[in-house]
Amino acid sequence: MRRWLPGLLLVSPSIILIAVFVYGLLGWNFKLAMTDKHDEIAEIPGNFVGLENFTGIWSEERWGLSVRHAIVFTVVFVGGALVLGWLLAFLMEKGIRAESGFRAVYLFPMAVSFIATGVVWRWLMNSATGEQAVGLNRLFHYLGLDFLQWQWFRDPDWGMAAMAIPAIWQMSGYIMALFLAGFRGVPEELREAARVDGCSEWGVYRYVVLPMLRPVTLSALIILGHISLKVFDLVVAVSGKQIITDVPATFMWTAVYDSHDPAKGATIASYIVLSVAVFVVPYLIWDARKGKR
């Protein structure tokens, strides 16, 4: 008891708080999602309806649209941040002057909240064109590149791809730091051995460095994936609660606070939790098995 009781007493407050305010509220949310409580009258607890809300929501056009927007945002955001972060880390790994200064510049956007990022990029991605243009469209007008002017997040087809640009700008520095640590963790002896065997510099990266970066890439993918699936503040700061940029999180907010439908909001929240679990749970299983090995 002397060995384990002090440690248990030390962590027990955290265990209790997590059990109540994380897993307890998750359970309450799933329970609410399985009821017919579609109003906010406190005296009506709602009857159990099983998975009726989970299946019925797919018949709503707005839900399908928000899911498509989330998929487009996730693909562009995750792919863009991984590519840009890897490229920045590759350039930094080669050794440049004032490397610490560049690292600080690349990492600085992480110190800014998504709300502040959204406010700035809302101006940069203003959809006005011609003489009324501001932000990036104004810059293209000054440079005589009017053909590059775009509606940005107001574009009905690729608006969510434009919405991912601020997120890429903010998170690519963090991904750069992860990949840079991975690059620096590859022993130089392995690289030299590959060069002695006749491997070109590109071959060294392809057959030696990149395979050793798989754990870093997986970690970066998990981090970016769960951020993109539950994105809310950036979308609201840039475009507000518009259908053209609707994602599940904003739809959930609208369902609860505008439509006053707790069961539908809880259903959407449950889907968000499940989608994040698709990314996180396999990673936790892989990490646990790796630790045992």
Side-chain angles (χ1 to χ4, degrees):
M1 184 177 295
R2 292 180 179 179
R3 290 196 301 268
W4 58 264
L5 184 58
L8 178 61
L9 294 176
L10 180 65
V11 301
S12 59
S14 299
I15 295 175
I16 295 172
L17 291 174
I18 292 174
V20 174
F21 292 103
V22 177
Y23 296 103
L25 292 181
L26 282 175
W28 177 85
N29 179 85
F30 278 98
K31 179 182 177 181
L32 178 60
M34 295 182 182
T35 66
D36 61 353
K37 186 176 176 59
H38 296 293
D39 54 60
E40 294 182 338
I41 301 177
E43 289 77 13
I44 302 177
N47 299 315
F48 181 78
V49 294
L51 300 178
E52 179 180 318
N53 293 328
F54 289 89
T55 57
I57 197 172
W58 289 98
S59 62
E60 297 189 23
E61 183 179 358
R62 182 174 179 180
W63 170 247
L65 185 65
S66 66
V67 171
R68 289 195 296 271
H69 286 168
I71 293 174
V72 172
F73 180 89
T74 299
V75 171
V76 177
F77 168 54
V78 174
L82 284 176
V83 172
L84 184 57
W86 185 91
L87 179 61
L88 292 175
F90 175 77
L91 296 176
M92 298 282 287
E93 197 261 343
K94 287 298 183 181
I96 59 176
R97 293 183 179 180
E99 177 184 328
S100 59
F102 280 106
R103 281 205 309 266
V105 170
Y106 295 149
L107 285 171
F108 178 76
M110 276 208 65
V112 183
S113 67
F114 268 135
I115 293 292
T117 299
V119 170
V120 174
W121 279 88
R122 180 176 60 191
W123 177 81
L124 288 173
M125 296 192 301
N126 190 287
S127 60
T129 58
E131 294 293 336
Q132 291 77 32
V134 297
L136 294 175
N137 282 351
R138 189 68 174 178
L139 176 63
F140 294 147
H141 179 70
Y142 279 138
L143 297 176
L145 302 174
D146 290 347
F147 66 93
L148 291 178
Q149 292 183 347
W150 192 27
Q151 290 184 320
W152 299 101
F153 64 89
R154 297 184 185 275
D155 186 275
D157 298 319
W158 295 101
M160 289 309 298
M163 186 68 71
I165 295 176
I168 294 172
W169 172 82
Q170 183 158 353
M171 294 301 300
S172 59
Y174 176 67
I175 302 304
M176 177 272 299
L178 292 179
F179 277 120
L180 184 60
F183 279 128
R184 299 284 169 81
V186 178
E188 187 63 29
E189 293 80 6
L190 294 179
R191 305 190 190 202
E192 289 298 328
R195 295 188 184 102
V196 170
D197 289 339
C199 208
S200 63
E201 194 64 23
W202 165 245
V204 171
Y205 277 90
R206 181 180 179 184
Y207 298 108
V208 178
V209 178
L210 291 182
M212 298 191 69
L213 291 181
R214 287 174 182 170
V216 177
T217 304
L218 180 60
S219 300
L221 181 64
I222 298 301
I223 294 170
L224 296 175
H226 92 271
I227 290 176
S228 65
L229 290 172
K230 61 182 184 180
V231 64
F232 171 78
D233 42 3
L234 176 65
V235 175
V236 173
V238 173
S239 65
K241 295 179 289 184
Q242 298 187 37
I243 298 295
I244 199 170
T245 56
D246 202 24
V247 292
T250 56
F251 187 17
M252 176 188 66
W253 177 273
T254 303
V256 174
Y257 295 103
D258 294 346
S259 302
H260 306 287
D261 191 338
K264 180 185 289 186
T267 302
I268 299 171
S270 300
Y271 270 119
I272 295 175
V273 172
L274 293 174
S275 63
V276 172
V278 169
F279 277 85
V280 176
V281 172
Y283 171 75
L284 295 177
I285 295 174
W286 172 82
D287 188 63
R289 291 178 177 177
K290 179 182 177 182
K292 290 181 179 180
R293 289 196 301 266

